[in-house]
Amino acid sequence: MSQVSVVIGASGGIGQAVVTQLSDQGESVYALSRAGTALSVWGDNVETQALDSNDEAAIAAFIQSLKDKGEVVRLAICTIGMLHDDNASPAISPEKKLEDLDTAQLTAYFSVNTILPALWLKHLVGVVDKEQATVVCLSARVGSISDNRLGGWYGYRASKAALNMLLKTAAIEYNRRTKTTTLVSYHPGTVDTGLSQPFQANVKPEKLFEPEFTAKQLLTHIKELDLKDSPHFIDWDGKPVSW
């Protein structure tokens, strides 16, 4: 069995940074995204594939391909997420008040932020390394129920809170079935990517991170997590976030 890492959403800012750093470390990496675009900085140890996570059959086929090649997943990082979508009709942006709640927008938030990562949790359980594995989903501090003091952003908050619950629930089953897989919900901070760009005006310069920084923090901190305490909800500084 050979070990591989899988980065889902590899065309995004954080996804690209994670793939680059794993490649530099000599890891065998599958970089998955709808575009399937490779970067010139990625080495021969990175295989890019076009894969739309909305297509569960495509996820299942990818997982089966790993099994067919005798590969197991040492690390999987799902960076898929949506905060706003200017191309949607009507455009999607975080709600400021109850009157802004909209069925289509709420559906979109849950589809991207909750359901797509859940499908990966479903299929990865059959191919994670039985010796030691880590599965990470990018969440957000605003998805913490106990830490919500400002309100607003209903759909984004709720979809990330639901993702956190899925991780907590899946960790119980992963523990029964694989014994050695650590599940992680990761708050990357406010990162200078397209996801946060419209909301950066009030962010202090020292709190606006480059993708390379938050990717490095993630890859550093997951090595320090204790399996027996899985799942973990941590921020970019490695500190626990309340569920």
Side-chain angles (χ1 to χ4, degrees):
M1 292 287 183
S2 57
Q3 296 177 324
V4 299
S5 296
V6 178
V7 179
I8 304 143
S11 62
I14 296 176
Q16 288 184 19
V18 169
V19 174
T20 298
Q21 292 179 31
L22 289 173
S23 174
D24 291 345
Q25 294 170 16
E27 300 283 347
S28 295
V29 184
Y30 286 97
L32 310 179
S33 66
R34 284 179 296 179
T37 305
L39 295 184
S40 60
V41 296
W42 294 347
D44 294 338
N45 53 335
V46 176
E47 180 176 330
T48 60
Q49 289 191 18
L51 191 154
D52 186 350
S53 293
N54 284 292
D55 183 354
E56 187 177 357
I59 297 175
F62 170 75
I63 296 297
Q64 185 60 51
S65 73
L66 299 184
K67 294 178 180 179
D68 293 343
K69 289 181 283 190
E71 295 176 334
V72 292
V73 175
R74 181 193 70 83
L75 173 64
I77 300 178
C78 181
T79 71
I80 294 173
M82 189 264 288
L83 176 57
H84 63 94
D85 185 353
D86 297 334
N87 296 318
S89 183
I92 293 173
S93 61
E95 308 92 344
K96 296 181 179 179
K97 56 185 183 301
L98 282 167
E99 286 80 1
D100 294 335
L101 289 173
D102 174 80
T103 299
Q105 177 160 303
L106 287 171
T107 300
Y109 274 129
F110 277 87
S111 176
V112 176
N113 294 334
T114 311
I115 296 174
L116 297 189
L119 294 178
W120 279 102
L121 288 171
K122 169 184 175 179
H123 290 279
L124 283 166
V125 71
V127 75
V128 288
D129 188 353
K130 295 300 193 295
E131 293 186 6
Q132 184 178 9
T134 305
V135 177
V136 181
C137 290
L138 260 61
S139 185
R141 192 184 302 276
V142 296
S144 166
I145 292 175
S146 58
D147 193 55
N148 184 355
R149 296 177 178 84
L150 297 177
W153 291 32
Y154 287 89
Y156 188 72
R157 285 183 185 274
S159 60
K160 290 296 189 178
L163 171 62
N164 291 343
M165 178 57 81
L166 282 166
L167 280 163
K168 283 188 72 80
T169 306
I172 297 170
E173 186 168 349
Y174 266 74
N175 184 54
R176 289 201 306 265
R177 297 173 61 178
T178 74
K179 305 295 185 185
T180 55
T181 303
T182 303
L183 267 58
V184 183
S185 182
Y186 180 63
H187 168 60
T190 302
V191 184
D192 190 11
T193 64
L195 182 142
S196 69
Q197 196 279 327
F199 311 99
Q200 294 177 5
N202 296 322
V203 179
K204 296 179 180 179
E206 66 272 17
K207 291 296 185 180
L208 181 61
F209 304 138
E210 291 300 318
E212 293 75 16
F213 170 78
T214 198
K216 180 181 179 181
Q217 293 294 101
L218 169 61
L219 295 177
T220 298
H221 292 309
I222 58 175
K223 296 176 182 178
E224 304 166 353
L225 299 177
D226 196 328
L227 171 64
K228 67 179 177 61
D229 296 324
S230 177
H232 297 266
F233 187 8
I234 62 170
D235 67 9
W236 56 271
D237 205 24
K239 296 177 180 178
V241 181
S242 60
W243 297 95

